[in-house]
PDB file of all heavy atoms in Angstrom:
ATOM      1  N   LEU B 271     119.399 115.461 106.891  1.00  0.00           N
ATOM      2  CA  LEU B 271     118.300 115.930 106.044  1.00  0.00           C
ATOM      3  C   LEU B 271     117.211 116.651 106.821  1.00  0.00           C
ATOM      4  O   LEU B 271     116.306 117.231 106.230  1.00  0.00           O
ATOM      5  CB  LEU B 271     117.679 114.738 105.309  1.00  0.00           C
ATOM      6  CG  LEU B 271     118.548 114.051 104.249  1.00  0.00           C
ATOM      7  CD1 LEU B 271     117.896 112.749 103.791  1.00  0.00           C
ATOM      8  CD2 LEU B 271     118.793 114.978 103.059  1.00  0.00           C
ATOM      9  N   GLY B 272     117.274 116.588 108.168  1.00  0.00           N
ATOM     10  CA  GLY B 272     116.202 117.172 108.971  1.00  0.00           C
ATOM     11  C   GLY B 272     114.916 116.388 108.851  1.00  0.00           C
ATOM     12  O   GLY B 272     113.819 116.966 108.824  1.00  0.00           O
ATOM     13  N   ALA B 273     115.038 115.072 108.798  1.00  0.00           N
ATOM     14  CA  ALA B 273     113.858 114.214 108.647  1.00  0.00           C
ATOM     15  C   ALA B 273     112.935 114.337 109.851  1.00  0.00           C
ATOM     16  O   ALA B 273     113.389 114.553 110.984  1.00  0.00           O
ATOM     17  CB  ALA B 273     114.289 112.759 108.476  1.00  0.00           C
ATOM     18  N   THR B 274     111.643 114.178 109.596  1.00  0.00           N
ATOM     19  CA  THR B 274     110.680 114.123 110.693  1.00  0.00           C
ATOM     20  C   THR B 274     110.880 112.861 111.508  1.00  0.00           C
ATOM     21  O   THR B 274     110.837 112.885 112.740  1.00  0.00           O
ATOM     22  CB  THR B 274     109.239 114.180 110.148  1.00  0.00           C
ATOM     23  OG1 THR B 274     109.088 115.366 109.354  1.00  0.00           O
ATOM     24  CG2 THR B 274     108.224 114.197 111.282  1.00  0.00           C
ATOM     25  N   SER B 275     111.122 111.739 110.817  1.00  0.00           N
ATOM     26  CA  SER B 275     111.389 110.483 111.518  1.00  0.00           C
ATOM     27  C   SER B 275     112.348 109.623 110.717  1.00  0.00           C
ATOM     28  O   SER B 275     112.454 109.750 109.497  1.00  0.00           O
ATOM     29  CB  SER B 275     110.084 109.715 111.773  1.00  0.00           C
ATOM     30  OG  SER B 275     109.618 109.088 110.585  1.00  0.00           O
ATOM     31  N   ALA B 276     113.050 108.748 111.432  1.00  0.00           N
ATOM     32  CA  ALA B 276     113.807 107.654 110.838  1.00  0.00           C
ATOM     33  C   ALA B 276     113.269 106.380 111.451  1.00  0.00           C
ATOM     34  O   ALA B 276     113.101 106.296 112.673  1.00  0.00           O
ATOM     35  CB  ALA B 276     115.302 107.804 111.114  1.00  0.00           C
ATOM     36  N   ASP B 277     113.005 105.376 110.617  1.00  0.00           N
ATOM     37  CA  ASP B 277     112.228 104.224 111.053  1.00  0.00           C
ATOM     38  C   ASP B 277     113.010 102.920 110.887  1.00  0.00           C
ATOM     39  O   ASP B 277     113.895 102.815 110.047  1.00  0.00           O
ATOM     40  CB  ASP B 277     110.929 104.143 110.253  1.00  0.00           C
ATOM     41  CG  ASP B 277     110.087 105.416 110.365  1.00  0.00           C
ATOM     42  OD1 ASP B 277     110.634 106.465 110.734  1.00  0.00           O
ATOM     43  OD2 ASP B 277     108.889 105.361 110.074  1.00  0.00           O
ATOM     44  N   HIS B 278     112.644 101.934 111.672  1.00  0.00           N
ATOM     45  CA  HIS B 278     113.294 100.617 111.787  1.00  0.00           C
ATOM     46  C   HIS B 278     114.484 100.696 112.746  1.00  0.00           C
ATOM     47  O   HIS B 278     114.374 100.302 113.886  1.00  0.00           O
ATOM     48  CB  HIS B 278     113.717 100.047 110.431  1.00  0.00           C
ATOM     49  CG  HIS B 278     112.583  99.536 109.611  1.00  0.00           C
ATOM     50  ND1 HIS B 278     111.894  98.383 109.918  1.00  0.00           N
ATOM     51  CD2 HIS B 278     112.022 100.021 108.486  1.00  0.00           C
ATOM     52  CE1 HIS B 278     110.950  98.186 109.020  1.00  0.00           C
ATOM     53  NE2 HIS B 278     110.999  99.158 108.137  1.00  0.00           N
ATOM     54  N   LEU B 279     115.680 101.080 112.240  1.00  0.00           N
ATOM     55  CA  LEU B 279     116.838 101.401 113.088  1.00  0.00           C
ATOM     56  C   LEU B 279     117.355 100.217 113.898  1.00  0.00           C
ATOM     57  O   LEU B 279     117.979 100.404 114.948  1.00  0.00           O
ATOM     58  CB  LEU B 279     116.489 102.570 114.031  1.00  0.00           C
ATOM     59  CG  LEU B 279     116.073 103.879 113.349  1.00  0.00           C
ATOM     60  CD1 LEU B 279     115.524 104.867 114.374  1.00  0.00           C
ATOM     61  CD2 LEU B 279     117.248 104.494 112.594  1.00  0.00           C
ATOM     62  N   LEU B 280     117.172  99.007 113.405  1.00  0.00           N
ATOM     63  CA  LEU B 280     117.673  97.842 114.129  1.00  0.00           C
ATOM     64  C   LEU B 280     119.195  97.865 114.265  1.00  0.00           C
ATOM     65  O   LEU B 280     119.741  97.371 115.259  1.00  0.00           O
ATOM     66  CB  LEU B 280     117.249  96.546 113.420  1.00  0.00           C
ATOM     67  CG  LEU B 280     115.865  95.982 113.768  1.00  0.00           C
ATOM     68  CD1 LEU B 280     114.750  96.928 113.353  1.00  0.00           C
ATOM     69  CD2 LEU B 280     115.663  94.627 113.098  1.00  0.00           C
ATOM     70  N   GLN B 281     119.872  98.436 113.268  1.00  0.00           N
ATOM     71  CA  GLN B 281     121.332  98.402 113.242  1.00  0.00           C
ATOM     72  C   GLN B 281     121.956  99.795 113.357  1.00  0.00           C
ATOM     73  O   GLN B 281     123.142  99.963 113.074  1.00  0.00           O
ATOM     74  CB  GLN B 281     121.806  97.738 111.931  1.00  0.00           C
ATOM     75  CG  GLN B 281     121.209  96.379 111.644  1.00  0.00           C
ATOM     76  CD  GLN B 281     121.592  95.345 112.677  1.00  0.00           C
ATOM     77  OE1 GLN B 281     122.641  95.432 113.307  1.00  0.00           O
ATOM     78  NE2 GLN B 281     120.733  94.340 112.867  1.00  0.00           N
ATOM     79  N   VAL B 282     121.197 100.773 113.780  1.00  0.00           N
ATOM     80  CA  VAL B 282     121.715 102.141 113.813  1.00  0.00           C
ATOM     81  C   VAL B 282     122.913 102.249 114.752  1.00  0.00           C
ATOM     82  O   VAL B 282     122.990 101.593 115.790  1.00  0.00           O
ATOM     83  CB  VAL B 282     120.595 103.129 114.229  1.00  0.00           C
ATOM     84  CG1 VAL B 282     120.174 102.923 115.682  1.00  0.00           C
ATOM     85  CG2 VAL B 282     121.012 104.570 113.977  1.00  0.00           C
ATOM     86  N   SER B 283     123.879 103.093 114.381  1.00  0.00           N
ATOM     87  CA  SER B 283     125.083 103.290 115.180  1.00  0.00           C
ATOM     88  C   SER B 283     124.811 104.232 116.349  1.00  0.00           C
ATOM     89  O   SER B 283     123.826 104.983 116.356  1.00  0.00           O
ATOM     90  CB  SER B 283     126.189 103.889 114.313  1.00  0.00           C
ATOM     91  OG  SER B 283     125.855 105.217 113.928  1.00  0.00           O
ATOM     92  N   ASP B 284     125.708 104.223 117.318  1.00  0.00           N
ATOM     93  CA  ASP B 284     125.612 105.188 118.416  1.00  0.00           C
ATOM     94  C   ASP B 284     125.677 106.613 117.887  1.00  0.00           C
ATOM     95  O   ASP B 284     124.983 107.507 118.387  1.00  0.00           O
ATOM     96  CB  ASP B 284     126.727 104.956 119.434  1.00  0.00           C
ATOM     97  CG  ASP B 284     126.525 103.709 120.283  1.00  0.00           C
ATOM     98  OD1 ASP B 284     125.474 103.051 120.139  1.00  0.00           O
ATOM     99  OD2 ASP B 284     127.412 103.399 121.101  1.00  0.00           O
ATOM    100  N   ARG B 285     126.515 106.822 116.889  1.00  0.00           N
ATOM    101  CA  ARG B 285     126.616 108.162 116.284  1.00  0.00           C
ATOM    102  C   ARG B 285     125.289 108.554 115.646  1.00  0.00           C
ATOM    103  O   ARG B 285     124.845 109.708 115.759  1.00  0.00           O
ATOM    104  CB  ARG B 285     127.738 108.173 115.240  1.00  0.00           C
ATOM    105  CG  ARG B 285     127.821 109.447 114.393  1.00  0.00           C
ATOM    106  CD  ARG B 285     128.173 110.692 115.202  1.00  0.00           C
ATOM    107  NE  ARG B 285     128.141 111.878 114.380  1.00  0.00           N
ATOM    108  CZ  ARG B 285     129.162 112.288 113.615  1.00  0.00           C
ATOM    109  NH1 ARG B 285     130.298 111.586 113.578  1.00  0.00           N
ATOM    110  NH2 ARG B 285     129.063 113.387 112.911  1.00  0.00           N
TER     111      ARG B 285
END
Side-chain angles (χ1 to χ4, degrees):
L271 292 170
T274 304
S275 76
D277 303 19
H278 286 289
L279 301 170
L280 274 64
Q281 307 297 332
V282 68
S283 68
D284 287 356
R285 172 65 184 276

